[in-house]
Amino acid sequence: RNRGDTYFGDDDCFLFRLCPDIRMYRPSNNSNRRFVFFRGIPTGKVRSDLSLHGWGFGGVARSPRLFVRGTFDDCTAAVRDTTYDHGPLLSTEDVTNSTVRFDIESLEVWGVGADNIIEKALHLYGGYRQTADAALEKARTVDKAQFMADFKSGLFESNFFAHRQQMQMGRGGGLLGGGV
């Protein structure tokens, strides 16, 4: 659900970590309800601050608890914020350190939800894949006769058939077999 202009989610959202131990951070009792936001690169009016384009979790827009940049580098994780319970998200975090920077080497995304929502998403993805595959196959298929006609007509600037003229004229500019 939309929470303001940029934040989404509800009290079912949570943050977690898997290593070195499993921990889950649920919304705190005094949560500011800023669970998740996504900010893409703006179209049209260009903003000068491209630093917050990506996915943010908790905190405030300028300082989310966890922020994953669209480039997956220079991401940040903090130990605390005003949305989720406090605790380290990364195994390298020092509890006294406010923010840790990191780069993402690989990312796994899971789709969770009711069966009908997942089924609908898979159906939409299947339709997208069929359309994309058909377009790719069409691009791979070449009308060879039309391709050669375009070459011969000079539509493409090429020396593809220059060897024919060279053979007829000879490399020295005279006729082949014409003698000296």
Side-chain angles (χ1 to χ4, degrees), residues 110-126:
W110 294 7
V112 295
D115 289 343
N116 62 334
I117 293 171
I118 293 173
E119 189 65 35
K120 181 179 177 182
L122 289 173
H123 177 72
L124 290 172
Y125 177 73

Side-chain angles (χ1 to χ4, degrees), residues 36-148:
V36 180
F37 75 86
F38 172 76
R39 191 173 294 149
I41 295 177
T43 58
K45 184 179 179 183
V46 178
R47 295 182 190 164
S48 60
D49 184 12
L50 296 177
S51 63
L52 284 178
H53 294 289
W55 300 270
F57 302 86
V60 294
R62 300 300 269 155
S63 181
R65 165 86 171 269
L66 174 65
F67 187 71
V68 177
R69 292 190 196 297
T71 58
F72 299 137
D73 61 349
D74 201 30
C75 303
T76 58
V79 175
R80 64 188 63 202
D81 71 297
T82 56
T83 305
Y84 296 100
D85 291 335
H86 301 295
L89 294 171
L90 303 176
S91 61
T92 59
E93 283 181 278
D94 179 358
V95 177
T96 61
N97 192 355
S98 60
T99 302
V100 174
R101 296 192 176 282
F102 63 98
D103 295 338
I104 295 177
E105 293 178 11
S106 63
L107 178 69
E108 183 174 331
V109 179
W110 294 7
V112 295
D115 289 343
N116 62 334
I117 293 171
I118 293 173
E119 189 65 35
K120 181 179 177 182
L122 289 173
H123 177 72
L124 290 172
Y125 177 73
Y128 163 77
R129 281 300 332 146
Q130 287 177 346
T131 303
D133 289 346
L136 184 59
E137 189 58 34
K138 184 177 179 181
R140 287 181 180 157
T141 305
V142 175
D143 181 350
K144 293 177 185 171
Q146 183 63 47
F147 185 71
M148 291 304 288

